[in-house]
Amino acid sequence: MKIARILVFAFLFLLLQSNVSALNITYEGFECQSAIDTEDPTQNSAVSVQSRFEVIQETGGGVYRLSLTGGIPRFVDGDSTVCIDKATAIGYSGIPEIDGLPQLLDSIDATAYFNGQELIIVISSMLTDLSAARYPFSVFSTSLTFTFTNTLIFRFNPLTSSFSLAKLFRNRGFTQTRGSTNSSIPFLETVLPSFNKEVRDEPRILTPLAAIEYKLEK
């Protein structure tokens, strides 16, 4: 058994070094019914979706650049329900002169570290509600902008060539600016590094109750 496991590790590393752009891991599931409420894992059973991490570059030392499509699993403490979250995990991007309003992305870059036994993936995304407004008397406010960081920790199973999600660390930050050009205080900025369930709370450390297995493909 030990020899077989070593051979699988060697084969996997050979694949990663020789043809990284052809490797990906995938998980099949259903879209989240609520696009932006990360505390709601209810599935939209009418829409199936695939969470897919594709290796796009090896940078050395077990570190890889990935591309995420589809989203990532969403679950909460004490509930075995799992859906795939695209809106907050992949998020929005936009440059006014090029894109106009920010647009929901189809994919986003991620960074990974793999030591042969554990795979750690970090994804950072941004979500906006596009609610920026200017009111009478020059009162204004920007959109509500949320920053998300998701860190996924997987354990590799060489017998099934799959990665099992063991832990998910999730944090949501928040920023908004509002004010008036007629005020002696031109604007007020709200900046919250952590705003997951309530103001100034802590990042979430989540353990899935249901098995979440990503298959290794090439």
Side-chain angles (χ1 to χ4, degrees):
M1 181 68 69
K2 184 176 181 180
I3 294 176
R5 183 169 300 181
I6 292 173
L7 289 174
V8 172
F9 284 160
F11 176 64
L12 180 60
F13 278 117
L14 180 62
L15 284 175
L16 289 171
Q17 292 173 0
S18 62
N19 194 15
V20 295
S21 63
L23 283 176
N24 60 79
I25 61 172
T26 60
Y27 169 75
E28 304 282 346
F30 293 99
E31 186 179 82
C32 293
Q33 183 169 288
S34 172
I36 62 174
D37 183 2
T38 56
E39 296 300 315
D40 183 4
T42 304
Q43 300 174 344
N44 180 356
S45 57
V47 183
S48 60
V49 64
Q50 182 184 78
S51 172
R52 184 171 185 264
F53 290 100
E54 180 181 357
V55 178
I56 57 177
Q57 182 186 9
E58 179 192 4
T59 65
V63 178
Y64 301 87
R65 297 189 187 278
L66 311 177
S67 175
L68 167 66
T69 55
I72 65 171
R74 177 195 291 174
F75 53 91
V76 296
D77 288 329
D79 191 335
S80 61
T81 306
V82 180
C83 63
I84 294 181
D85 173 358
K86 176 181 179 180
T88 71
I90 296 180
Y92 284 72
S93 178
I95 300 173
E97 295 80 5
I98 300 174
D99 309 296
L101 292 175
Q103 302 293 318
L104 184 61
L105 295 170
D106 292 323
S107 64
I108 194 169
D109 289 345
T111 306
Y113 172 74
F114 181 55
N115 63 9
Q117 296 178 328
E118 287 188 328
L119 172 67
I120 301 173
I121 299 177
V122 180
I123 315 146
S124 296
S125 59
M126 300 184 72
L127 179 73
T128 174
D129 67 353
L130 301 176
S131 63
R134 184 167 182 171
Y135 307 95
F137 308 108
S138 299
V139 177
F140 68 91
S141 64
T142 65
S143 303
L144 304 179
T145 302
F146 296 91
T147 57
F148 289 86
T149 299
N150 289 286
T151 302
L152 297 85
I153 299 178
F154 297 89
R155 294 193 180 95
F156 178 58
N157 184 340
L159 300 180
T160 60
S161 295
S162 64
F163 292 84
S164 177
L165 182 60
K167 293 283 184 182
L168 170 63
F169 306 151
R170 183 176 67 217
N171 189 54
R172 180 181 72 163
F174 170 72
T175 62
Q176 186 189 33
T177 301
R178 54 189 173 84
S180 171
T181 56
N182 293 329
S183 172
S184 60
I185 302 175
F187 56 82
L188 299 172
E189 292 182 317
T190 300
V191 180
L192 296 172
S194 189
F195 182 19
N196 295 283
K197 299 183 70 173
E198 59 186 10
V199 175
R200 296 179 179 176
D201 60 4
E202 297 177 346
R204 309 294 306 280
I205 302 174
L206 303 171
T207 303
L209 292 182
I212 300 176
E213 300 285 338
Y214 275 74
K215 296 180 180 178
L216 175 66
E217 300 176 347
K218 61 172 181 173

